[in-house]
Amino acid sequence: MNSVIEALYSQRAVWWHPPSYDIRIETLPIPQIEHPDDAIVKIQLAGLCGSDLHVYRGTERLTEPCIMGHEFIGEVVALGASFHSSSAGRPHLYSTLRVGDKVVSPFTVSCGECHFCRVGFTCRCVESCLFGTPLTPGGQAQYVRVRRAGGTLYSLQDIPNGSLLTDSSLLLLCDILPTGVFAAFQALSHVKTLPFTTRQPYPLSASPPQIGDVSFLPFLEEDKSLTMAVIGLGPVGVCTCIALLDMLVTRKLKFNVIAIDPNEARRAKMTSIYSIIGGNQQFGGFQVADTSNVKELVANLTKGVGCNAVLEVVGNTSALRLAYELVRPFGCINSVGVHSDHAVPYKGVELYDKNVSLDFGRCPVRAMFPMALELLLKRQDVLGTVGGETSLVEKIASFDDAVQIYDDFDKGKCGKVLFDPFK
């Protein structure tokens, strides 16, 4: 009898133990409503992300065990008292979310009400907490408690053409697809890339018409083309490439994109995916390169000038250094990789002498959902499949395989893996 009662109030979860590399599958209590703004979500799928490796490897220096994972979709099974139809003056989910609704969550909590949330910088919410930490248990479990759920969750009930989206692809909205879209959007919106998207010289490319003779010569053909590099072809890097190519082609911009990774399997995966998404576009080129030969490749493509923008999606100092060596004078480096406390690998004088702009930081996933969703609907051919040569998601696994999968993922032996908690 006791075992039956325990089963009703317990769940299985991927449980990390400090200091590092210690993953266990344990039986833990099902979370409960603790605050009126809470929701309890029954997990349908949870993702394994490269950022999880920071906890796994111990680089976050956590001293308490925790439930892993910050990517999850599922069904709402309980709501706090704040959720009711007459709720007003708060994020709309407080008045519309219902038990039974299907939801996706960003990887951080966001209240939806503070200054940062109001202006769209949701990842820097004053109440921001990362799922998959001792403070905010993660989604690699059968159930998860979501704090500030009305500002955090995204309801999947009213998505146009939502029936066309597979659950495995919806999981990508939690982190990696919005982060890829964010990286591409940041790079193409940067003031230093605007001359190449507007065909206007700096600073006219970013300012109203000016009085007086600017005396710029007309652009040559080489002045109208963007050369951009993506460093890192893990799942986020692949999403970045997909998003960047979509934006470039949609805007009918001339371009060369170089996708870079030292891992041969990752390069092969990206090449296969491009064979699907490349189509017959006529505006630019796309090449996959190893770190060992990419400097020569970029030099040849740009006549020694370098890349307009480099998107760093790895999160280590060697990738940042390579980004600096590839970027041209007056270029920008956009880094969305999760970095540790290592120093940035260049001096102020190097950045000054090259007029290089650095843009770092976490994606505001909750704000990026609409843009990412649009791309998800468009690219179900690679984002909506599982296990194929051109699929971003490699497989859906049971928690029983989590220990081995974490080890394989850490060693670069597998790609994007999702967990079915009830499998």
Side-chain angles (χ1 to χ4, degrees):
M1 183 67 177
N2 287 339
S3 62
V4 173
I5 293 173
E6 182 179 343
L8 292 173
Y9 296 99
S10 62
Q11 62 166 340
R12 299 178 76 220
V14 179
W15 187 246
W16 174 85
H17 283 253
S20 61
Y21 298 102
D22 188 355
I23 290 289
R24 309 174 193 178
I25 309 305
E26 299 198 3
T27 300
L28 302 167
I30 291 176
Q32 304 296 315
I33 297 292
E34 298 179 21
H35 185 278
D37 290 354
D38 286 353
I40 305 299
V41 175
K42 182 180 181 180
I43 305 298
Q44 294 176 337
L45 288 174
L48 175 57
C49 178
S51 301
D52 292 326
L53 295 179
H54 291 278
V55 175
Y56 178 65
R57 294 167 177 165
T59 56
E60 294 291 323
R61 298 190 178 92
L62 299 179
T63 58
E64 300 176 39
C66 63
I67 297 175
M68 292 291 288
H70 54 259
E71 300 177 331
F72 57 90
I73 64 169
E75 177 187 342
V76 175
V77 294
L79 290 169
S82 296
F83 292 85
H84 51 83
S85 58
S86 59
S87 176
R90 303 197 70 193
H92 76 278
L93 279 189
Y94 284 112
S95 62
T96 61
L97 192 64
R98 299 288 183 267
V99 169
D101 285 356
K102 190 172 182 179
V103 292
V104 59
S105 177
F107 58 83
T108 56
V109 170
S110 54
C111 71
E113 298 173 292
C114 69
H115 162 74
F116 294 102
C117 288
R118 291 195 303 271
V119 300
F121 304 151
T122 53
C123 61
R124 295 302 162 197
C125 171
V126 296
E127 298 192 40
S128 179
C129 295
L130 176 67
F131 286 100
T133 63
L135 181 63
T136 311
Q140 289 175 15
Q142 293 177 315
Y143 296 86
V144 65
R145 171 183 169 239
V146 179
R147 299 166 54 191
R148 300 297 185 196
T152 300
L153 294 174
Y154 188 86
S155 175
L156 299 172
Q157 299 305 111
D158 302 318
I159 293 179
N161 301 314
S163 61
L164 301 176
L165 299 174
T166 63
D167 283 350
S168 61
S169 70
L170 288 169
L171 189 283
L172 305 180
L173 289 173
C174 301
D175 181 351
I176 67 172
L177 186 58
T179 297
V181 173
F182 174 65
F185 177 75
Q186 291 277 96
L188 286 176
S189 302
H190 199 284
V191 67
K192 290 181 177 177
T193 59
L194 289 182
F196 307 90
T197 60
T198 65
R199 309 290 171 83
Q200 291 289 324
Y202 184 88
L204 298 179
S205 54
S207 66
Q210 298 173 354
I211 298 173
D213 180 13
V214 183
S215 300
F216 289 117
L217 292 175
F219 276 26
L220 302 177
E221 282 304 307
E222 65 192 64
D223 303 327
K224 300 175 183 178
S225 180
L226 277 165
T227 301
M228 308 181 78
V230 177
I231 301 177
L233 295 178
V236 178
V238 171
C239 287
T240 300
C241 290
I242 293 171
L244 180 60
L245 288 166
D246 181 75
M247 291 179 191
L248 289 165
V249 171
T250 299
R251 302 180 192 190
K252 298 183 179 180
L253 298 171
K254 296 181 65 176
F255 64 86
N256 276 298
V257 172
I258 305 100
I260 307 160
D261 201 289
N263 185 302
E264 183 178 358
R266 287 181 170 183
R267 295 197 304 272
K269 172 69 77 172
M270 187 68 248
T271 300
S272 296
I273 288 175
Y274 183 70
S275 71
I276 299 295
I277 68 174
N280 297 315
Q281 60 85 13
Q282 304 172 9
F283 303 105
F286 181 83
Q287 298 184 59
V288 178
D290 192 352
T291 51
S292 62
N293 62 4
V294 70
K295 295 178 191 177
E296 181 181 1
L297 175 60
V298 168
N300 290 336
L301 281 173
T302 65
K303 299 180 180 180
V305 175
C307 296
N308 302 91
V310 181
L311 288 64
E312 189 277 313
V313 197
V314 181
N316 65 37
T317 53
S318 61
L320 283 177
R321 186 68 212 182
L322 178 59
Y324 178 82
E325 292 167 356
L326 295 180
V327 77
R328 68 177 59 187
F330 236 87
C332 59
I333 296 171
N334 295 82
S335 176
V336 297
V338 179
H339 288 273
S340 65
D341 57 2
H342 293 293
V344 175
Y346 14 78
K347 300 175 182 178
V349 66
E350 292 181 278
L351 300 174
Y352 180 88
D353 285 348
K354 211 173 178 181
N355 276 83
V356 173
S357 295
L358 299 180
D359 199 308
F360 276 68
R362 176 181 287 172
C363 170
V365 170
R366 187 61 182 78
M368 298 300 296
F369 268 145
M371 289 179 67
L373 181 59
E374 183 179 352
L375 183 61
L376 188 65
L377 284 162
K378 189 184 296 186
R379 289 264 67 114
Q380 282 290 291
D381 48 2
V382 293
L383 300 176
T385 60
V386 176
E389 184 181 352
T390 59
S391 303
L392 178 59
V393 177
E394 187 168 305
K395 61 183 175 181
I396 299 175
S398 163
F399 281 168
D400 294 334
D401 302 318
V403 173
Q404 185 62 54
I405 287 171
Y406 263 89
D407 184 64
D408 288 346
F409 193 54
D410 178 53
K411 295 173 180 176
K413 295 180 179 180
C414 68
K416 186 69 177 178
V417 176
L418 310 185
F419 293 113
D420 178 344
F422 294 92
K423 189 173 182 179

